Amino acid sequence: MLIHQFDNSTGAYLNSCLADADPRNDGRWLIPAFSTSDPLPERTPLSWPFYRDGAWLLLPDYRGRPFYRQDTGEPTEILAAGKTPAELNLTEKPRPSDRHTWINGEWAVSAVQLAQEKRDAMMAEFDLRMSKARAKNAGKADALAAGLLNDEETYYFKAWSAYQMALVRAIESDKFPDSIEWPATPAPYVPPPPPEPEAPEADAPATDMPADDAPTQEQDPA
């Protein structure tokens, strides 16, 4: 007689073999513990027989197939029959990238991740612009305080300093990082126009001498 052995804790089918004849009872067979002569059910490729409550039933069997953890995306496999991948928080779909998380039954980039990536990109742009502005003014603060910069150098120092302040205000805006307007870099220096030459003083106009000062003509005596 063919008998089927099953796991004493889970009931999972283990193997089949021929039962030994009972030496004390002719025509009877010895059935060991955790074995049954009940015929096995016809299984499918993704099922496995389990003997529970005195009968065989089929439970999921995904052993030997590649899966991925839904929490980390790491590859893994199912070592025991009885549960579906979903019950074990596994999926057959590989994780596309470290950016993806398991959301509503699929790998996707979360809104939180997208927002963080956008913020990181904006901060990287801010750091790049700020570094450029600081390089323009590097080592010039003391020279400005000492009055050692010429007009053009002073203009650029103040312009790049104002640019740095505008950058800080841009990322402190309530709309950052969803909306941002980067300030324009300083305009080229335009030297002041040379002073106009002073007009020469005009000569004083000639005036008639007063009558008292006019020369007198001698009169001939009569």
Side-chain angles (χ1 to χ4, degrees):
M1 182 177 65
L2 186 65
I3 60 174
H4 313 286
Q5 295 180 322
F6 53 86
D7 185 270
N8 64 340
S9 59
T10 66
Y13 167 73
L14 296 177
N15 56 60
S16 300
C17 63
L18 293 174
D20 294 330
D22 188 344
R24 296 184 179 181
N25 296 283
D26 189 23
R28 299 191 65 176
W29 305 91
L30 297 177
I31 301 179
F34 309 113
S35 301
T36 180
S37 60
D38 294 347
L40 289 169
E42 185 176 350
R43 59 181 293 266
T44 62
L46 295 179
S47 65
W48 192 257
F50 282 75
Y51 198 76
R52 293 179 179 176
D53 299 326
W56 289 109
L57 74 156
L58 293 176
L59 294 180
D61 182 14
Y62 288 85
R63 290 174 294 180
R65 300 168 67 94
F67 289 98
Y68 303 88
R69 294 172 57 94
Q70 295 176 6
D71 56 349
T72 64
E74 295 178 352
T76 187
E77 61 179 316
I78 296 176
L79 300 179
K83 291 188 177 181
T84 64
E87 292 175 305
L88 299 172
N89 297 319
L90 304 178
T91 177
E92 292 182 291
K93 301 177 182 177
R95 188 181 186 186
S97 73
D98 292 342
R99 299 172 59 241
H100 290 73
T101 54
W102 189 256
I103 303 173
N104 298 326
E106 63 179 356
W107 294 113
V109 182
S110 68
V112 174
Q113 178 68 20
L114 290 173
Q116 185 61 48
E117 290 177 356
K118 187 172 185 178
R119 180 179 182 84
D120 291 345
M122 292 298 100
M123 288 305 300
E125 179 67 17
F126 167 80
D127 292 339
L128 182 64
R129 291 170 178 260
M130 182 63 75
S131 296
K132 178 181 178 181
R134 287 172 175 166
K136 294 290 185 179
N137 283 352
K140 296 180 181 178
D142 291 341
L144 176 71
L148 301 178
L149 300 182
N150 58 33
D151 290 346
E152 181 177 357
E153 291 169 335
T154 300
Y155 164 81
Y156 278 118
F157 183 92
K158 293 181 177 180
W160 283 111
S161 296
Y163 177 77
Q164 293 178 54
M165 288 300 302
L167 287 175
V168 173
R169 293 190 181 100
I171 65 170
E172 289 179 344
S173 169
D174 294 337
K175 298 179 180 179
F176 179 82
D178 296 327
S179 176
I180 187 169
E181 293 185 7
W182 298 114
T185 54
Y189 172 74
V190 178
E196 295 182 0
E198 296 181 0
E201 294 183 1
D203 295 337
T207 56
D208 295 337
M209 298 179 63
D212 294 342
D213 296 337
T216 59
Q217 185 177 8
E218 293 183 0
Q219 294 180 356
D220 295 335

